[in-house]
Amino acid sequence: GESVGLHLPTLSVQEGDNSIINCAYSNSASDYFIWYKQESGKGPQFIIDIRSNMDKRQGQRVTVLLNKTVKHLSLQIAATQPGDSAVYFCAEMYSGGGADGLTFGKGTHLIIQP
Amino acid sequence: EPEVTQTPSHQVTQMGQEVILRCVPISNHLYFYWYRQILGQKVEFLVSFYNNEISEKSEIFDDQFSVERPDGSNFTLKIRSTKLEDSAMYFCASSGRFSNQPQHFGDGTRLSIL
């Protein structure tokens, strides 16, 4: 389950392995979803997005899966590298309301073991 | 690659003082946002700005906060009378011609209230 405050969920994987980071979103009206990567001392960095009319989207080494029935989002990273170590956030929004802000999840700390 | 830039990177201010955080969004973007992140916690939406006016704001964005686009390139967040609990990282973000496009973040300003 997710944690609050300083205690982020942590996922530790071996370099070269695949990793899957999961996210449960809250608003059934949300129709646009983004995964961000945040390294220490930096702002969130865009990885990949998906709209609600899709259930899968692939990028370079990353795949996002969307299950609207259970309000679940996942990020798969293939062949992880040391540079993938970071905190990963999912974010959701309803795009029909104008310039709405993103609602972020609490984050997962991905650690790549050499 | 174009990026969002924020200044200063770190601002230390006495409680009760006014502070202005500055951002230069990506040049052809039309939607601008401010978020904050308290240490170790998730990123929280403050306000969005489009067509020279506030589009949406969260409960956090009370009367102590204001935003301005004083010229064609800058976007500022002002906190009128800072409180201890305003200590956080403040991130500026921008997105392109439509609101449901990826929001790109700057590396933030760390605000420390003494």
Side-chain angles (χ1 to χ4, degrees), chain A residues 5-6 8 32 34 36 38 41-44 46 49 51 89 93 95 97-102 104-106, chain B residues 31 33 35 37 39-43 45 48-50 55-56 89 91 99-107:
Chain A
L6 296 173
L8 291 175
Y32 181 54
I34 306 178
Y36 285 95
Q38 188 176 28
K42 300 275 195 178
F46 171 80
D49 60 356
R51 291 180 171 79
F89 292 95
M93 71 176 286
S95 62
D100 284 353
L102 294 165
F104 279 77
K106 290 178 180 173
Chain B
Y31 293 86
Y33 308 84
Y35 292 82
Q37 185 178 32
L39 182 63
Q41 298 190 21
K42 62 181 180 178
V43 178
F45 169 70
S48 60
F49 193 86
Y50 171 72
S55 182
E56 298 288 341
M89 284 291 290
F91 293 107
S99 62
N100 63 343
Q101 289 181 316
Q103 294 179 24
H104 295 273
F105 285 73
D107 282 337

Side-chain angles (χ1 to χ4, degrees), chain A residues 13-93:
Chain A
V13 300
Q14 291 292 124
E15 182 179 349
D17 286 353
N18 300 332
S19 64
I20 299 176
I21 301 171
N22 295 301
C23 175
Y25 65 91
S26 56
N27 187 355
S28 55
S30 293
D31 60 0
Y32 181 54
F33 307 88
I34 306 178
W35 279 101
Y36 285 95
K37 172 186 180 182
Q38 188 176 28
E39 296 173 289
S40 181
K42 300 275 195 178
Q45 177 188 352
F46 171 80
I47 302 173
I48 192 168
D49 60 356
I50 188 168
R51 291 180 171 79
S52 58
N53 60 349
M54 303 174 70
D55 53 20
K56 180 179 180 178
R57 189 159 187 235
Q58 288 184 288
Q60 188 176 16
R61 281 202 307 118
V62 294
T63 301
V64 55
L65 299 177
L66 174 62
N67 185 331
K68 295 182 287 294
T69 303
V70 295
K71 293 191 289 187
H72 184 269
L73 201 62
S74 68
L75 176 71
Q76 300 176 5
I77 304 174
T80 51
Q81 303 168 357
D84 294 330
S85 292
V87 177
Y88 290 79
F89 292 95
C90 65
E92 60 178 298
M93 71 176 286

Side-chain angles (χ1 to χ4, degrees), chain B residues 24-73:
Chain B
V24 178
I26 295 173
S27 63
N28 61 348
H29 283 186
L30 301 180
Y31 293 86
F32 313 114
Y33 308 84
W34 283 101
Y35 292 82
R36 79 171 185 191
Q37 185 178 32
I38 294 171
L39 182 63
Q41 298 190 21
K42 62 181 180 178
V43 178
E44 300 174 289
F45 169 70
L46 293 177
V47 66
S48 60
F49 193 86
Y50 171 72
N51 199 26
N52 284 318
E53 61 182 20
I54 289 175
S55 182
E56 298 288 341
K57 58 184 180 179
S58 72
E59 293 177 350
I60 303 168
F61 194 87
D62 62 22
D63 291 344
Q64 294 298 312
F65 291 88
S66 62
V67 290
E68 192 178 27
R69 188 153 165 83
D71 53 44
S73 59

